């Protein structure tokens, strides 16, 4: 099977909302990176927060431990964007995700300094992970993404040429031709204003590579 490439002059505008702690968002972001090597797409990376999404929900013990840690990372990315600009977001996300998901480091006190160093950001930015100084901006970004798709979803949220949806949720992230076939299908679905939902139960967990 071969994919149908977009016209050379047609840049596809992509907006991607992620929580750095979400393994599913991580895999979808790796797929988008793969597509970007072969398709004319312009991606804007935006923060959303699983902690904010669940702030009014009863959660189990595992999430009670996970969500405060996740909040640190979303606050850090929000601060990096406000202080150092949009261009800092993706580099910091990549550095955080590598440590959280690929290396399995669950300690923000080790993840954050190492990620800031890799992303070329000042070490003192770490203090914003423990403050609410940029929570207004972080929450605005979160609700911008969730407002596009509704409250009954999670991360990632992706918008293609202004049409937003939750997902795709994938495991593992496809590469090469398979990545492009999936991308062209997503672009086709997004082109139809009446398309809302396509889903099946997950039969595997996150598979990282």
């Amino acid at each position: 099977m071969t994919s149908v490439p977009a016209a050379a002059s047609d840049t596809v505008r992509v907006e991607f909302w992620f929580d750095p702690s979400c393994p599913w968002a991580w895999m979808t972001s790796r797929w988008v990176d793969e597509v970007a090597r072969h398709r004319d797409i312009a991606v804007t990376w935006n923060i959303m927060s699983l902690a904010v999404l669940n702030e009014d929900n009863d959660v189990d013990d595992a999430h009670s431990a996970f969500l405060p840690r996740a909040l640190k990372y979303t606050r850090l990315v929000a601060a990096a964007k406000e202080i150092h600009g949009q261009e800092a977001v993706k580099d910091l996300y990549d550095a955080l995700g590598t440590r959280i998901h690929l290396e399995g480091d669950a300690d923000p006190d080790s993840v954050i300094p190492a990620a800031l160093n890799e992303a070329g950001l000042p070490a003192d930015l770490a203090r914003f992970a423990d403050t609410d100084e940029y929570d207004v901006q972080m929450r605005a970004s979160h609700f911008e993404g969730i407002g596009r798709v509704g409250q009954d979803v999670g991360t990632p949220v992706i918008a293609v040429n202004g049409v937003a949806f939750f997902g795709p949720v994938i495991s593992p992230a496809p590469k090469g031709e398979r990545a492009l076939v999936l991308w062209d299908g997503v672009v086709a679905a997004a082109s139809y204003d009446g398309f809302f939902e396509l889903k099946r139960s997950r039969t595997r967990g996150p598979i990282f590579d």
Side-chain angles (χ1 to χ4, degrees), residues 140-207:
S141 178
H142 170 86
F143 286 114
E144 166 67 16
I146 288 296
R148 304 273 197 99
V149 292
Q151 291 290 331
D152 57 340
V153 299
T155 174
V157 169
I158 186 171
V160 177
N161 286 333
V163 178
F165 43 83
F166 165 59
V169 176
I170 51 180
S171 180
K175 294 181 172 61
E177 187 68 14
R178 286 188 173 184
L180 300 181
V181 169
L182 178 59
W183 177 255
D184 292 337
V186 167
V187 172
S191 71
Y192 180 61
D193 181 64
F195 176 80
F196 295 105
E197 187 172 344
L198 182 69
K199 186 174 182 179
R200 64 174 178 164
S201 297
R202 300 175 194 172
T203 57
R204 68 182 67 145
I207 300 173

Side-chain angles (χ1 to χ4, degrees), residues 5-103:
S9 60
D10 293 339
T11 299
V12 177
R13 295 179 296 104
V14 180
E15 298 162 271
F16 193 109
W17 282 266
F18 66 91
D19 185 309
S21 295
C22 178
W24 301 103
W26 176 255
M27 283 184 292
T28 304
S29 71
R30 301 311 94 180
W31 164 65
V32 170
D33 281 350
E34 176 73 4
V35 171
R37 298 185 182 99
H38 307 281
R39 288 283 188 271
D40 184 10
I41 66 175
V43 187
T44 302
W45 300 90
N46 305 298
I47 197 69
M48 65 177 293
S49 171
L50 291 173
V52 172
L53 186 68
N54 287 281
E55 63 187 355
D56 295 323
N57 299 334
D58 292 328
V59 297
D60 57 25
D61 290 343
H63 282 85
S64 293
F66 166 80
L67 293 174
R69 184 169 70 244
L71 182 60
K72 289 176 179 284
Y73 299 133
T74 57
R75 283 174 163 171
L76 180 70
V77 176
K81 179 181 177 181
E82 293 303 313
I83 298 171
H84 297 280
Q86 177 66 46
E87 61 274 11
V89 173
K90 181 58 160 55
D91 287 345
L92 182 54
Y93 179 29
D94 289 347
L96 288 168
T98 296
R99 284 154 182 82
I100 295 167
H101 305 299
L102 302 188
E103 298 177 6

